[in-house]
Amino acid sequence: MPKRWEVYPGKSQVLCSGRCISAKNLSVFYLTLALIVISSCLFLAFDCRLLAVTLSPSVPVLAAVQFIFVLCCLLRTTFSDPGIIPRGTPDEAAWIESQLEGPQVDRDGNYRPPVRLKDVQINGRVFKLKYCFTCKLWRPPRASHCSTCDNCVDRFDHHCPWVGNCVGRRNYRYFYLFLISLSVYCLYVMVFGIVNLVLLAFFSIWSVVGLGGFHTMLICRETSTNEDIKGSFNQRRHPDLINPFDQGNGLANCCYVLFGPVTPSLLNFREDEIGLGSSISLVTNNGRNGTVSAAAASTAVTATPAVRYSNLTRNNNDATSNSVGHVNNSVQVISESLPAQLPGDGNDVIVKNGNGAPADGVISGGTDAVGAQNSNTQSASSVHCIV
Amino acid sequence: MSSSKPLPNSYSATILPPANKAFVPRDYSHGTELRFSTELPAKLQGRIPEEVFTAVIGNINQLLIAAETGSASVYLESCFACLTGYLAYLCMETQYEKCLRSVSRLVEEYNRTVFGPRNLSMIDPSERGLRVIEIVLLRP
């Protein structure tokens, strides 16, 4: 004798030997299940580790309880009978259909299908009951036939693919509780996920944002960190001191510091390094400290060294006085304090060896050149050739 | 005894209703509540007094309507089940199921006392999906 579930005629899927019933196509339901389970596992495994320690161990416990409740509601919605009305027996069908008006051909020769409606008064209101030919029954009010599952379902709400079953009278409360509990659970996970992020990022936010804010303040005040530490322009310590570099208002300071003129590098590392004389040690950034011999210096001198200050010339004729051939954009510095004729005019820099010639190759004005003549040529003054 | 051939979906005039079965349909005049019509079917005319029939159906209706009424105990039972994540329903019987079992017992009782002596047999409506009450005429 077969069990009733074995001869069930609809399109639903019967599982667990008749204990469960669902729609045939459960692929979207598996997606729903996967989304819930995977995000819950990630939350419990990662976020809850920090939250249990910093906040309270009840955070993951509550999350687990909610997760189990959501799953229970979802599984009940999916696998329970939504309120399927069992199909009428053949005898019932014969009895009902014998009472229906049969198909008729009216005077015009038009075919009229059998009437399958009957009127019923429900609390004063006329309601049309339909006869379901598939299920062989008068469909109760609020029942509807689901074409996906091929059943009449009592108080039919809708067929939900996410849940993989019809939602009807018997499983509507589970469906609704699933929605509500899942909403609450989602909010819970979201809130504690954000809390977790905030806790993790707290220190980095504090240090980086704090530091950024501090430097913004410094820029607005046209102060450097060093000056701030020393309190050079601290109004509280030295009330009469004003910051002479302050341009007046914070915005102007910002503009100048951030968008002001960009000074080019004065190192010119890509240029050839030139020797400058016996007593002169060339100190360059790569640590090369070459002491040029007197002989070499003389030859170097006669070779008209091209050591030069890029922004100090008598006139604009840079190219001719420059044996290296570099054309630099020298700015003509016209200084009233300059003597009429600089020593060694025609060359940018005169570097002479220690015999009565200026050993100091620095030209910053006439006075220095004169002074250089008197300086001790053996002094190991280092020339910073900033070329 | 009766035609047990499955009917095609379209109406067929050749299938006759079974001669030995009377059906009592659902009564929707009060809404969707569980209620069967108390009108005596034509096939039972003369087999059973109308008042007896009305009383029998009336009693069954009372039990069924009680099954669908929301009372305090029903609400408490549902709340309790909800709190357990509906796992409690795996162990306990609901109010509705209890009412349907009492209807079965009542139908058995009536079959013994009212219908049996009249060569009739009432089929429990739960067996028919609460669509109809089927009464079998055991002897024509």
Side-chain angles (χ1 to χ4, degrees), chain A residues 62-79:
Chain A
L62 275 177
V65 164
Q66 285 181 75
F67 171 63
I68 290 169
F69 188 77
V70 164
L71 271 190
C72 282
C73 290
L74 173 63
L75 293 174
R76 265 215 181 246
T77 311
T78 304
F79 294 113

Side-chain angles (χ1 to χ4, degrees), chain A residues 194-207:
Chain A
I194 290 172
V195 166
N196 185 57
L197 258 182
V198 165
L199 285 176
L200 278 177
F202 185 74
F203 296 115
S204 37
I205 285 173
W206 207 238
S207 47

Side-chain angles (χ1 to χ4, degrees), chain A residues 4 69 72-73 76 85-95 97-98 100-103 114 120-123 129 133-134 136-142 169 173-174 177, chain B residues 2-12 15-18 21 23-26 28-32 43 68 78 82 85-87 89-90 96 127-129 131-132 134:
Chain A
R4 285 190 195 180
F69 188 77
C72 282
C73 290
R76 265 215 181 246
I85 305 172
R87 295 192 182 188
T89 57
D91 293 336
E92 284 173 52
W95 171 66
E97 287 178 12
S98 67
L100 299 175
E101 276 177 39
V120 152
Q121 278 260 352
I122 295 178
N123 290 329
L129 282 190
F133 271 103
T134 315
K136 306 290 179 208
L137 48 86
W138 284 108
R139 228 177 266 156
R142 309 189 85 185
R169 186 176 177 191
R173 72 182 65 187
Y174 309 129
L177 280 173
Chain B
S2 60
S3 60
S4 51
K5 203 167 40 166
L7 284 173
N9 274 346
S10 58
Y11 177 80
S12 170
I15 307 296
L16 290 170
K21 285 188 184 175
F23 295 100
V24 180
R26 282 277 290 271
Y28 293 116
S29 59
H30 292 84
T32 53
K43 289 213 179 87
E68 291 215 331
S78 301
C82 177
Y86 295 105
L87 298 169
Y89 280 150
L90 299 169
Y96 208 110
E127 297 286 316
R128 294 289 177 263
R131 299 181 302 268
V132 289
E134 190 176 311

Side-chain angles (χ1 to χ4, degrees), chain A residues 56-335:
Chain A
S56 154
S58 67
V59 168
V61 166
L62 275 177
V65 164
Q66 285 181 75
F67 171 63
I68 290 169
F69 188 77
V70 164
L71 271 190
C72 282
C73 290
L74 173 63
L75 293 174
R76 265 215 181 246
T77 311
T78 304
F79 294 113
S80 65
D81 175 2
I84 296 170
I85 305 172
R87 295 192 182 188
T89 57
D91 293 336
E92 284 173 52
W95 171 66
I96 297 172
E97 287 178 12
S98 67
Q99 295 174 334
L100 299 175
E101 276 177 39
Q104 290 170 14
V105 180
D106 63 12
R107 277 168 279 131
D108 303 328
N110 297 322
Y111 174 78
R112 267 177 30 221
V115 175
R116 40 197 279 204
L117 297 172
K118 80 174 175 192
D119 286 338
V120 152
Q121 278 260 352
I122 295 178
N123 290 329
R125 190 181 157 249
V126 174
F127 210 91
K128 278 196 181 329
L129 282 190
K130 253 192 184 171
Y131 177 69
C132 183
F133 271 103
T134 315
C135 301
K136 306 290 179 208
L137 48 86
W138 284 108
R139 228 177 266 156
R142 309 189 85 185
S144 187
H145 190 92
C146 175
S147 49
T148 316
C149 304
D150 204 25
N151 298 312
C152 274
V153 177
D154 198 8
R155 202 185 176 284
F156 181 71
D157 197 81
H158 68 286
H159 181 95
C160 185
W162 296 100
V163 149
N165 202 1
C166 290
V167 176
R169 186 176 177 191
R170 287 195 74 246
N171 65 352
Y172 186 62
R173 72 182 65 187
Y174 309 129
F175 176 72
Y176 177 72
L177 280 173
F178 163 66
L179 290 180
I180 298 296
S181 61
L182 187 61
S183 313
V184 168
Y185 184 51
C186 280
L187 280 171
Y188 183 90
V189 167
M190 188 185 79
V191 162
F192 282 101
I194 290 172
V195 166
N196 185 57
L197 258 182
V198 165
L199 285 176
L200 278 177
F202 185 74
F203 296 115
S204 37
I205 285 173
W206 207 238
S207 47
V208 174
V209 171
L211 193 62
F214 174 66
H215 278 276
T216 308
M217 182 207 58
L218 288 182
I219 286 174
C220 291
R221 289 208 223 142
E222 240 309 12
T223 319
S224 67
T225 312
N226 196 22
E227 287 157 358
D228 187 72
I229 289 171
K230 287 191 211 162
S232 315
F233 306 123
N234 192 335
Q235 296 227 296
R236 263 171 271 149
R237 283 229 240 134
H238 313 280
D240 46 341
L241 261 183
I242 52 151
N243 185 353
F245 311 105
D246 193 335
Q247 303 226 347
N249 69 343
L251 190 61
N253 287 335
C254 278
C255 286
Y256 188 76
V257 170
L258 295 175
F259 304 113
V262 179
T263 54
S265 173
L266 303 173
L267 293 171
N268 280 351
F269 277 137
R270 301 286 297 159
E271 301 298 322
D272 290 344
E273 187 196 309
I274 305 295
L276 293 176
S278 59
S279 60
I280 293 156
S281 55
L282 290 168
V283 179
T284 59
N285 272 358
N286 61 8
R288 213 177 64 158
N289 200 340
T291 306
V292 182
S293 64
S298 57
T299 51
V301 165
T302 54
T304 60
V307 176
R308 72 222 180 278
Y309 274 93
S310 58
N311 54 0
L312 261 186
T313 50
R314 266 311 264 186
N315 50 37
N316 281 331
N317 272 348
D318 305 326
T320 50
S321 62
N322 196 334
S323 67
V324 174
H326 287 280
V327 180
N328 57 349
N329 300 322
S330 308
V331 173
Q332 187 176 4
V333 177
I334 300 167
S335 169

